[in-house]
Amino acid sequence: GAGVSQSPRYKVAKRGQDVALRCDPISGHVSLFWYQQALGQGPEFLTYFQNEAQLDKSGLPSDRFFAERPEGSVSTLKIQRTQQEDSAVYLCASSETGPSLNTEAFFGQGTRLTVV
Amino acid sequence: GQQVMQIPQYQHVQEGEDFTTYCNSSTTLSNIQWYKQRPGGHPVFLIQLVKSGEVKKQKRLTFQFGEAKKNSSLHITATQTTDVGTYFCAGGFNNNDMRFGAGTRLTVKP
């Protein structure tokens, strides 16, 4: 596709429910990032993939959060037993190579998760 | 840890006034990127700085990267209402991670 695509755009989950958020990066992009953005805040790093390898998951707030990118393209962020503090916009970004190799990141529109 | 601090959190200016936002990292960055996010939108890439002391300009926007590659600034000359949004810096670290600052929300009064 022409850009990074995320689905769903909006998700309302009941507390305790599991959710799965999908990210389709730009075709051929090596790096993929997940960020969590609370209202009025900057994107907070969650995790980073280079191809299928998850190189950094230090930003995942708890073991309820899990991300995968099994074939090095589409990625899924899964949140188990959602809690109200998980409510945020989840942003996915991809870049052609790693950021230290000086390529810009392209963001998807995000998934707005509301836990009620 | 790998963090990027950004100030100020908010800036409200009269149209025509200048605006500056600053970013700082405790560790040396491999590069720094700047993004703009309009209300309800997603971050959109503006520019990337790589070299120590680098200065780049885009029309009324001037971007600087510090000599030690630990700080950066974005300066907008003579703001316009179209400049409204939140400006984020994002520091690139040698392990390929990219961390965002908290952003500076700019509002412009016509």
Side-chain angles (χ1 to χ4, degrees), chain A residues 9 33 35 37 39-43 45 48 50 55-56 58 91 98-110, chain B residues 2 9-10 30-31 33 35 37 40-43 45 48 50 88 92-103 105:
Chain A
R9 286 292 311 278
F33 302 84
Y35 293 89
Q37 188 172 26
L39 189 64
Q41 302 295 317
F45 172 82
Y48 161 66
Q50 190 161 314
L55 297 187
D56 188 341
S58 62
L91 292 166
S100 69
L101 297 176
N102 314 324
T103 57
E104 69 178 275
F106 294 84
F107 281 82
Q109 296 284 357
Chain B
Q2 295 179 158
Q9 190 175 2
Y10 303 98
S30 60
N31 64 79
Q33 299 177 353
Y35 292 79
Q37 186 173 24
H42 59 277
F45 176 83
Q48 177 170 262
V50 176
F88 295 99
F93 294 87
N94 288 332
N95 63 351
N96 287 329
D97 276 346
M98 184 169 69
R99 304 295 172 102
F100 279 76
R105 181 180 296 179

Side-chain angles (χ1 to χ4, degrees), chain A residues 33-73:
Chain A
F33 302 84
W34 282 99
Y35 293 89
Q36 180 191 60
Q37 188 172 26
L39 189 64
Q41 302 295 317
E44 292 287 337
F45 172 82
L46 294 177
T47 187
Y48 161 66
F49 290 87
Q50 190 161 314
N51 296 308
E52 69 278 4
Q54 190 174 20
L55 297 187
D56 188 341
K57 56 181 180 179
S58 62
L60 296 176
S62 77
D63 59 8
R64 296 186 296 104
F65 286 70
F66 172 77
E68 60 182 3
R69 194 186 185 197
E71 297 178 0
S73 55

